[in-house]
Amino acid sequence: MDYLTLKEAPKREDRLHSCITYGGTLCGLQKRLGHGCLQDGEREFSQGSLCLLLPALAIINTFPDNVIIMHAAVGCGSCLQSHNGSARSGGMLRTGKLKDAIWVSTALNEIDVISGGEKKLRQAIIEVDRLYTPKTITVVSGCVPGIIGDDIDGTVDDLRSQISAILIPVHCEGFKTKIWATAYDAIYHGLGKNLLEDPAQRNRVISDDIEEARFNYLKKRRVNLCNLSSMSRIDELELTRLLNALDLDVNIFPLYKDSEQMYSVKYAALSISTCPTHDDYFLQFLKERFGIPYLLQHMPVGIENTKSWIRSVAQFFGKEAAAEQLIQYEMSLLEEALIPYRKFFKGKTAFISAGEFRALATAYLVHELGFTVIGVRPFHHDEYAEKEYEKLKNIVGDFPLNIANMQPFEEANLLRSLKPDLFMGHSQSNATAVKLGIPVHTVFSSSLSYIGFRGVFEVARRLYRQLSNPSLNRKFPKYIKLPYKESWYQESPFKYIKDNKDES
């Protein structure tokens, strides 16, 4: 279905039947999936989560020459202050220009809740267009407008003819969904509805044969390489290097992409995902609307995943022989470089916590480096990961599995019981492991390498340094304590998951 005909993207609970609640083992999860009885349960106690507004704003902050209008209470969007550093550095790496992101708020208050906030939004759009003259204005809707029924799209449509900037409404009402990965769909929804028209074609009367021939050429060898906060600039360069080696032209989309170049995504032979969690919504749209096929399987994180990713692309273009030659050359260098690291990692245990595909791909990667995987915590589950679970079971074996949108109390219980030698999680969620004295390493950073053959080596090198001297991490519990009673650690970590059965 072409969801872009709708006003806003559907929530993932409806579109993909996504799940954020499960506690048991990998084999137990597969049993439930096999019997069709995995339903998203409830927790009798829930501690901490994440609103889809936060990842959405972090991504929108990367769009150059854009101003964000946060249509919500004044506190919503305050996280944008911490996003600015990465937006500045990311833009500098890609464009050579150092530029701050700009955002304003309509600061809805109690009176607006009663009388409506559309007038404030209208004034804000006009004022932002006059003051900053940006190419695009992204209107991000928080919870309050969704509750009181402000017509965001109606207000935007009414102003389009009066405003120089392209207006992009993005619906991020946090109360509508528990699956904050819906944020990725919301952003792609706004881009797909508003930025796919070629500016050069808008007022053209006579067709440009040379331009048309150029695009026909590109459609034979160009690939859309999707990056919706799924890889760093270093990772972009690594995948571009590998694709260029297959004589393919690469169009990276949409982070840091100029709004006037967004339309170029329509002119490609193939779209390639680097994270199915992020990209499935838009890639399906490109196929339905413009006939562009896509590859949506796993992240190119780890040796075998990278090989499979390259081979899939090569098979589409009939370049299998070139792909095997490339893989053979890369592996001849990598295998030799990994020998000392694998000896060091052998026998050590690892626990991974991250977004679904990153968690599963990283578990595969550390297994390839010599670790024993003793636990994984994906933030959610949907149908696209089922093949990855099967692959992990066949290669890694069974292990405790906890599907949770944060819930640090469950994580603390699991880690205290399992006592891994290494915890890999996102930087903002490593604190639980740190306070338990477990060495930690971030599972993703916008300035570090994780993807492709280079990513394998760089992760190995960083983990070697981290685990060679873990004394700092080991000493933390003497000075910092978690807030849970000792009795909690004697309970099952999944005690508060309703209808949770022993899956072991």
Side-chain angles (χ1 to χ4, degrees), residues 286-304:
L286 288 178
K287 183 176 181 181
E288 291 177 5
R289 184 71 65 87
F290 303 108
I292 302 173
Y294 61 84
L295 294 177
L296 187 75
Q297 45 183 340
H298 52 244
M299 300 189 78
V301 170
I303 297 171
E304 292 304 319

Side-chain angles (χ1 to χ4, degrees), residues 10 57 131 137 177 216 230 281 315 321 369-370 387 391 400 446 465 480:
L57 291 175
L131 284 175
I137 297 174
T177 176
N216 287 336
S230 49
Y281 186 84
Q315 184 179 25
L369 292 178
K387 289 183 179 179
K391 183 168 65 178
S446 59
R465 287 201 306 266
I480 303 174

Side-chain angles (χ1 to χ4, degrees), residues 200-257:
Q201 301 291 341
R202 287 174 188 164
N203 301 312
R204 179 169 289 169
V205 178
I206 302 174
S207 62
D208 187 332
D209 293 339
I210 296 177
E211 188 76 358
E212 187 174 337
R214 185 175 76 86
F215 282 129
N216 287 336
Y217 172 73
L218 286 175
K219 291 193 73 168
K220 294 178 181 177
R221 57 186 295 270
R222 170 176 275 192
V223 295
N224 291 320
L225 182 60
C226 296
N227 179 13
L228 198 70
S229 74
S230 49
M231 57 180 169
S232 66
R233 178 55 178 165
I234 303 170
D235 290 332
E236 286 181 351
L237 293 174
E238 167 68 356
L239 292 188
T240 299
R241 178 183 72 86
L242 295 174
L243 293 171
N244 287 164
L246 298 177
D247 194 31
L248 297 175
D249 181 77
V250 180
N251 176 41
I252 299 174
F253 176 93
L255 260 61
Y256 300 98
K257 193 78 170 179

Side-chain angles (χ1 to χ4, degrees), residues 189-478:
H189 193 88
L191 297 182
K193 287 177 74 75
N194 297 280
L195 286 180
L196 295 189
E197 183 181 0
D198 182 350
Q201 301 291 341
R202 287 174 188 164
N203 301 312
R204 179 169 289 169
V205 178
I206 302 174
S207 62
D208 187 332
D209 293 339
I210 296 177
E211 188 76 358
E212 187 174 337
R214 185 175 76 86
F215 282 129
N216 287 336
Y217 172 73
L218 286 175
K219 291 193 73 168
K220 294 178 181 177
R221 57 186 295 270
R222 170 176 275 192
V223 295
N224 291 320
L225 182 60
C226 296
N227 179 13
L228 198 70
S229 74
S230 49
M231 57 180 169
S232 66
R233 178 55 178 165
I234 303 170
D235 290 332
E236 286 181 351
L237 293 174
E238 167 68 356
L239 292 188
T240 299
R241 178 183 72 86
L242 295 174
L243 293 171
N244 287 164
L246 298 177
D247 194 31
L248 297 175
D249 181 77
V250 180
N251 176 41
I252 299 174
F253 176 93
L255 260 61
Y256 300 98
K257 193 78 170 179
D258 187 278
S259 61
E260 293 185 352
Q261 296 299 316
M262 288 280 191
Y263 75 94
S264 63
V265 75
K266 298 187 297 184
Y267 301 101
L270 179 69
S271 295
I272 312 173
S273 170
T274 49
C275 178
T277 294
H278 291 183
D279 303 324
D280 81 288
Y281 186 84
F282 192 66
L283 297 195
Q284 289 186 51
F285 162 73
L286 288 178
K287 183 176 181 181
E288 291 177 5
R289 184 71 65 87
F290 303 108
I292 302 173
Y294 61 84
L295 294 177
L296 187 75
Q297 45 183 340
H298 52 244
M299 300 189 78
V301 170
I303 297 171
E304 292 304 319
N305 279 343
T306 299
K307 287 181 182 178
S308 176
W309 193 86
I310 291 172
R311 285 169 175 150
S312 297
V313 177
Q315 184 179 25
F316 179 86
F317 289 98
K319 296 177 179 289
E320 292 91 340
E324 294 306 320
Q325 186 177 0
L326 173 64
I327 290 170
Q328 183 179 0
Y329 172 74
E330 295 288 332
M331 289 304 300
S332 66
L333 302 175
L334 181 61
E335 287 292 351
E336 182 178 357
L338 291 179
I339 291 173
Y341 298 126
R342 282 181 167 144
K343 289 180 180 178
F344 179 79
F345 297 144
K346 187 176 181 180
K348 290 182 170 57
T349 58
F351 188 103
I352 317 297
S353 176
E356 183 175 41
F357 274 90
R358 187 168 293 276
L360 300 177
T362 302
Y364 203 97
L365 165 60
V366 297
H367 170 77
E368 291 174 326
L369 292 178
F371 288 87
T372 299
V373 177
I374 59 171
V376 177
R377 292 186 87 233
F379 292 158
H380 85 286
H381 166 74
D382 60 47
E383 62 190 52
Y384 290 109
E386 293 180 14
K387 289 183 179 179
E388 294 301 297
Y389 285 120
E390 181 65 27
K391 183 168 65 178
L392 268 180
K393 186 189 78 171
N394 293 337
I395 302 298
V396 178
D398 199 16
F399 50 77
L401 184 74
N402 180 205
I403 297 173
N405 57 336
M406 308 307 181
Q407 309 306 331
F409 74 104
E410 291 178 356
E411 181 177 78
N413 188 309
L414 271 170
L415 293 177
R416 173 81 173 268
S417 172
L418 295 171
K419 297 180 174 61
D421 296 308
L422 170 70
F423 177 87
M424 292 188 71
H426 287 285
S427 57
Q428 68 272 23
S429 59
N430 281 344
T432 299
V434 167
K435 292 176 183 179
L436 288 169
I438 301 169
V440 302
H441 186 77
T442 180
V443 80
F444 171 73
S445 169
S446 59
S447 60
L448 296 176
S449 172
Y450 294 88
I451 278 177
F453 297 115
R454 175 179 178 175
V456 174
F457 175 73
E458 292 294 341
V459 169
R461 186 164 64 167
R462 294 197 302 268
L463 291 181
Y464 177 81
R465 287 201 306 266
Q466 182 79 20
L467 296 178
S468 292
N469 183 12
S471 57
L472 175 65
N473 302 84
R474 299 299 188 200
K475 291 177 180 177
F476 265 115
K478 294 181 181 179

